Amino acid sequence: MSLGTHEVAQTLIALILLLIVAHCVAYLFKAVRQPPVIGEILGGLLLGPTVLGNFSPELQRQLIPAEGPAASAIGAIYQLGLLLLIYLAGTELHGHVTSTERRTITAVSLSGLLIPFAAGLAIAASFDLGELTGPHGSDATLVLVFGMAIALTSIPVISRIMLDLGILGTRFARIVLTVAVLEDVLLYVVLAIVLGMAGAMSGDAYGLGMLFAGGPVVWSALYFTAAPIVFLLVHLRYGRTYFTAAARLRWNVLAHRSPTAYLMVFVFSLCLVCIGLGLDPIFGALTAGICDAGTARGEQARETLRKISLSFFIPVYFAVVGLQLDLIRHFDVLFFLWFLAVACAVKFSSVWLGARLAGQSRGSAANIAAAMNARGGPGIVLASVTFSAGIVSEGFFTSLVVLSIVTSQMAGMWLSRVVDRGDPLLSEDPEDPEDPDAAEAAGRRDGGSDRKAVTP
């Protein structure tokens, strides 16, 4: 179905405005060494009901239509941006860690994930939070979302902060990002369970998920717990093999003519398989990223897709997230302050405890805890996906997004202050013979800040 000239003009105007404000505000944030992704969201906020819509509602509706063919076209780009963002997050889920780092990673992973998630479940189950539930949500899905919101850590945001500070190649960065990887994989599995249960109970299920629509909740919970785990394990074992093997086949014209197009087909195919299983397509995008991570053959295609995504699709996605925020009509300040205090206190203290048990000093444990408190992209994905699925209310969606913004800013400011002062990020450990960077790390420790030039 083609759009009329008027609808095409509306779509182009909206996309131009979203891209301009997203990139310009992100540039300003990067200039002051803050996460650019937050600038992209705030750029969309300027065009939404909070700012432009508050001063000129009619102009805001004309520039960024909320319904009709133009809105549907923007919504499609928004969804593609989300899938590509999750794919890029999946490509970060690999890497080598040394034996001296494993103790800290294990302790921080266990305490930093299990304690916040359990605390979130307990808090949500103990208080009447029914007003936070959306039309397709339930007590069970709300409890799980609440727990995830407290336990989340952002891989893209915290890695971007470390890149800007020149510490992405340090032991500190390896530990934080490896823990974030482990947490995000588990939490995306939980998110797939939540979305599957919500779809089954609301009658909006698709594929195999339709078998559980209107049925007993226990069968729905069992299926949507097992399906994403089995899907992930199968692709962890065989995904990279058949991805690279299929690319080498002589009759695979697509892979030889355009490796980037082949990669996009692979990503979207796994998304489609997830839809057929009744799972949310973002889980397919995450799995595709994990399968593609570290494959030398697809490096150029991966970089091309990354550039396209980061220049167009992902900024539009984050700008539309900001566009959906209404801080005037759907933002409970008192609830948010309580929510922010609880989320930060639980996450920070649990990670700090794990790092201390692993032998880190108080200051080093605090640095790890501050970095792990950044929720960034995953927190925004959690908010936007659950809100779109009708699991959470608009008010809770707004609080989740603002929580992600504020905690990312807090992490950036903390690490920037530590690096600028020249304080050590981690306690000094004995050199590991397995660590190829041990000599270099030892040479950097006298300055403590590990500041060096890093190439993205």
Side-chain angles (χ1 to χ4, degrees), residues 161-176:
I161 291 172
M162 292 176 178
L163 174 64
D164 292 338
L165 293 176
I167 59 174
L168 191 57
T170 63
R171 291 190 306 119
F172 175 80
R174 277 205 301 268
I175 289 173
V176 170

Side-chain angles (χ1 to χ4, degrees), residues 394-451:
E394 186 171 357
F396 193 28
F397 159 75
T398 303
S399 292
L400 288 171
V401 174
V402 178
L403 176 71
S404 299
I405 294 174
V406 173
T407 54
S408 298
Q409 291 294 107
M410 293 168 61
M413 293 173 63
W414 180 293
L415 293 180
S416 179
R417 180 177 59 85
V418 172
V419 171
D420 289 340
R421 291 191 319 188
D423 293 341
L425 290 166
L426 280 182
S427 302
E428 294 189 4
D429 290 333
E431 262 55 288
D432 187 345
E434 297 180 17
D435 187 358
D437 300 325
E440 181 184 356
R444 289 196 308 262
R445 282 175 186 160
D446 58 339
S449 65
D450 289 344
R451 188 190 285 273

Side-chain angles (χ1 to χ4, degrees), residues 13 36 81 153 167 176 240 254-255 262 338 347 366:
I13 290 172
T153 296
I167 59 174
V176 170
R240 184 175 297 181
L254 182 63
Y262 170 70
W338 169 82
K347 183 69 175 180

Side-chain angles (χ1 to χ4, degrees), residues 145-367:
V145 171
F146 202 91
M148 283 191 290
I150 293 180
L152 276 172
T153 296
S154 171
I155 297 172
V157 166
I158 197 60
S159 61
R160 183 59 179 268
I161 291 172
M162 292 176 178
L163 174 64
D164 292 338
L165 293 176
I167 59 174
L168 191 57
T170 63
R171 291 190 306 119
F172 175 80
R174 277 205 301 268
I175 289 173
V176 170
L177 292 178
T178 303
V179 175
V181 163
L182 297 174
E183 290 186 355
D184 279 11
V185 168
L186 293 175
L187 290 170
Y188 275 119
V189 170
V190 177
L191 182 58
I193 295 170
V194 170
L195 294 171
M197 291 175 60
M201 290 184 289
S202 67
D204 192 34
Y206 188 86
L208 292 180
M210 295 178 63
L211 299 175
F212 302 93
V217 175
V218 62
W219 290 111
S220 174
L222 287 174
Y223 173 77
F224 289 110
T225 299
I229 294 175
V230 172
F231 180 84
L232 179 62
L233 291 178
V234 168
H235 283 85
L236 285 177
R237 178 64 179 86
Y238 302 106
R240 184 175 297 181
T241 300
Y242 72 68
F243 171 68
T244 54
R248 295 190 181 98
L249 294 176
R250 181 176 301 177
W251 52 264
N252 193 340
V253 178
L254 182 63
H256 295 297
R257 186 180 186 278
S258 176
T260 303
Y262 170 70
L263 177 58
M264 294 178 72
V265 168
F266 176 72
V267 174
F268 296 149
S269 295
L270 289 193
C271 293
L272 190 61
V273 171
C274 279
I275 292 175
L277 293 173
L279 306 176
D280 192 274
I282 66 169
F283 199 71
L286 178 76
T287 306
I290 295 174
C291 293
D292 183 38
T295 55
R297 183 181 178 86
E299 183 175 352
Q300 185 175 357
R302 184 164 56 250
E303 184 60 26
T304 301
L305 185 55
R306 177 185 296 273
K307 290 180 178 178
I308 295 172
S309 302
L310 292 175
S311 62
F312 178 66
F313 289 100
I314 293 176
V316 169
Y317 164 73
F318 281 121
V320 172
V321 169
L323 196 68
Q324 295 174 331
L325 296 177
D326 189 345
L327 300 182
I328 297 176
R329 302 169 189 83
H330 298 285
F331 184 54
D332 187 337
V333 177
L334 292 179
F335 167 76
F336 172 74
L337 292 176
W338 169 82
F339 185 41
L340 174 67
V342 170
C344 291
V346 172
K347 183 69 175 180
F348 188 95
S349 60
S350 61
V351 172
W352 185 89
L353 176 62
R356 289 288 288 155
L357 292 175
Q360 294 293 331
S361 67
R362 293 182 178 180
S364 299
N367 292 335

Side-chain angles (χ1 to χ4, degrees), residues 131-142:
E131 70 276 5
L132 305 181
T133 305
H136 297 157
S138 64
D139 291 342
T141 56
L142 178 63

